[in-house]
Amino acid sequence: MGRNPDAPVLLLIDADEPARLRTEAALARRFGSDYSVRAAANPEDGLAMLEQLRDQRQDLALVAADLRLPGIDGIEFLRRAHGLHPHAFRLLLVAMDQYHTRVPFTELPTLRRATALGQIDVWTVKGWVTPEEWLYPHVQAALTAWTLANRPHFAVYRFVGDQWSSRSHEIRDLFSRNGVPFEFHPTDSEEGRALIHEFGIDVSHLPAAVRHDGTVLHDPRDTELAVSHGIQVTPSRTRYDVVVVGAGPAGLAAAVNAASEGLGTVVVEREAIGGQAGTSSLIRNYLGFQLGISGGELAHRAWEQAIFFGAELVFNSAEEARLANGDRVVGLRDSSDLRAPIVIIATGVTYRRLDAPGLDRLVGAGVFYGAATVEAPAMAGEDVYVVGGANSAGQAALHLAKFAAHVVLLVRGRSLRASMSEYLITQLEATPNIELRLQTRVVEGQGESRLERLKLEHIESGHRETVRAAGLFVLIGAEPHTQWLRPLLAADDHGFLLTGRDIPSKVWPLDRSPLPFETSAPGVFAAGDVRHGSVKRVAAAVGEGSVAIGSVHQYLAQPVAVSR
Ligand SMILES: Cc1cc2nc3c(=O)[nH]c(=O)nc-3n(C[C@H](O)[C@H](O)[C@H](O)COP(=O)(O)OP(=O)(O)OC[C@H]3O[C@@H](n4cnc5c(N)ncnc54)[C@H](O)[C@@H]3O)c2cc1C
């Protein structure tokens, strides 16, 4: 069914004929002009159709299967479909309960397991009355994601540069984390050569960016790119009610809550909206997103929410903090000052560097700190190593395993269980091209212009071996971004900011006690990962950023009496 037989296919497998006919008709009505909607009554016919589509090189955008099929179940069918069409979205259909009101709770363990093992992308109930409620939203979301990942779309910038230069990596990371559509073409590729020729690019100043209107920027700095993209890099005024430093989950939550309550709010961010969370391919433990949400999408929704309430976002770096004439002053990279009675520090943490010879000079050339999701496609068919035992390392390994031939997760400890969530461990164990190596560390990186080999050491035995490696992704430890705040704010031995009751009385200047989230400088608050004692999770950071605004209101209502 469908009006365009060459269009990407939506394939439905359901042995229950009345349900299949209704679903097929509903899909054809809504999506039939852009997609070819087809259906099969059993797994054999469905697999034959999938093989035929593969042989004819026709795109499959979505495959939907009923959980109950004759012979094999819908999950096994979708697993086989994935082998034939790895880019198609997989939708599992589940019949409603006997009262025809909701998903039968008895199926939940099956759905949970299939989701945890990455065997399905999404599930929904069948037997609905209106497809608008139950079917279309899931199908539309899947088709949007499929189109973005698999269809050419408008590239605002085209970059040309050396694939393995660290600046090329920084730019790819910056643009992908900020959600700017771009293409990157290595200098020695056909497209790269064509761009150099067409736009007269000076190859001694690479990477170069070609904006959609033909403007060329040679070896641009981040600020130049931001200005060229119309991003605000300087604040529109010097005084605000609240200055938030950092646009990770904590800073964005603080901005949404401050701005929605009428406080004039500016957020200063130096890299990308979403902070660490923005680099996560799928956050599965954030309330309300039962199938998970990409960190980038969560961050962009929060950013839109913040600017909708009137917060201003400035792409700049906070370099200095001081108190002057009753104001808190934040000095920016361009030497301008921001003044406000309230400052919220939400600068988060960054990954610790691996201290092994040969790695520093290969950063961006195969060695990456953080998840660097944008680099995963470049690892196709390669051997890749991930260092770290926390959830972030587990997620990075799973994402890389979609592209790389072999992913090895290196962990110093004897077990993952103390540091990683059980659902991620289950998923890692179920992914055939991921290998876990415990008690192992990297002692050297080797390669001329890019990473080629790693020397590994087994911690207990001391045994060393050299392995081929195209990528090393390091996600260990966490250092707070607080150097610029010393000595103004009291911190623990690791640099995390002390707040509320953790502040020693000898450094607290007022008669009243510090408010929750207030630092040792009254009127300066801290929220999220940067705070001593924080739980390093998205939900915790969002909670802290939101609740800190409660303390801000208390602060503004309370006269400040300096006692020392
Ligand atoms: C790959 C990965 C996957 C993760 N997955 C999960 C998950 O599934 N579930 C979960 O709960 N948690 C997860 N986490 C942890 C979670 O992302 C963090 O706990 C959360 O992002 C902390 O939020 P934050 O706002 O406190 O700090 P951050 O997210 O670190 O944001 C801080 C922001 O401040 C900016 N900044 C720093 N210094 C300055 C300055 N001087 N001037 C201007 N801006 C500055 C930074 O650029 C950054 O954008 C993951 C982390 C990573 C890295």
Side-chain angles (χ1 to χ4, degrees), residues 296-309:
E297 190 180 341
L298 185 66
H300 277 83
R301 288 184 188 197
W303 167 69
E304 280 184 17
Q305 204 174 359
I307 55 171
F308 181 75
F309 280 123

Side-chain angles (χ1 to χ4, degrees), residues 196-213:
I196 291 169
H197 178 72
E198 186 182 347
F199 292 95
I201 290 171
D202 174 359
V203 291
S204 63
H205 289 92
L206 294 178
V210 180
R211 204 170 58 183
H212 63 90
D213 60 357

Side-chain angles (χ1 to χ4, degrees), residues 332-468:
L332 302 182
R333 181 174 42 205
D334 60 5
S335 307
S336 59
D337 280 346
L338 280 171
R339 288 168 182 271
I342 303 289
V343 170
I344 298 178
I345 308 293
T347 48
V349 300
T350 199
Y351 284 106
R352 264 208 294 277
R353 292 272 163 152
L354 254 193
D355 186 17
L359 292 183
D360 274 357
R361 79 186 159 78
L362 296 172
V363 172
V367 176
F368 305 102
Y369 285 88
T373 31
V374 68
E375 303 298 341
M379 298 293 143
E382 303 279 8
D383 288 348
V384 171
Y385 288 74
V386 177
V387 181
N391 282 4
S392 50
Q395 282 182 9
L398 285 169
H399 183 66
L400 286 160
K402 293 181 193 154
F403 302 90
H406 187 208
V407 178
V408 183
L409 182 59
L410 301 175
V411 181
R412 290 177 69 102
R414 289 171 184 275
S415 156
L416 270 184
R417 295 217 137 64
S419 53
M420 195 179 284
S421 299
E422 198 58 36
Y423 78 87
L424 275 174
I425 297 176
T426 312
Q427 222 171 327
L428 289 172
E429 286 169 351
T431 309
N433 61 337
I434 294 183
E435 179 192 343
L436 172 64
R437 285 210 200 175
L438 298 170
Q439 290 199 279
T440 307
R441 64 188 187 115
V442 176
V443 289
E444 192 182 333
Q446 300 170 355
E448 288 303 316
S449 56
R450 57 169 289 197
L451 179 71
E452 289 164 20
R453 290 172 303 280
L454 288 172
K455 197 179 274 182
L456 307 178
E457 183 183 79
H458 188 266
I459 292 169
E460 207 167 80
S461 67
H463 172 74
R464 289 188 170 197
E465 68 174 309
T466 302
V467 293
R468 281 167 50 87

Side-chain angles (χ1 to χ4, degrees), residues 213-256:
D213 60 357
T215 306
V216 178
L217 300 169
H218 282 97
D219 193 14
R221 300 295 90 204
D222 291 357
T223 312
E224 269 178 84
L225 288 167
V227 171
S228 124
H229 197 54
I231 304 286
Q232 191 178 339
V233 293
T234 47
S236 65
R237 45 195 167 119
T238 51
R239 252 195 96 75
Y240 293 82
D241 296 326
V242 180
V243 174
V244 180
V245 185
L252 288 169
V256 165

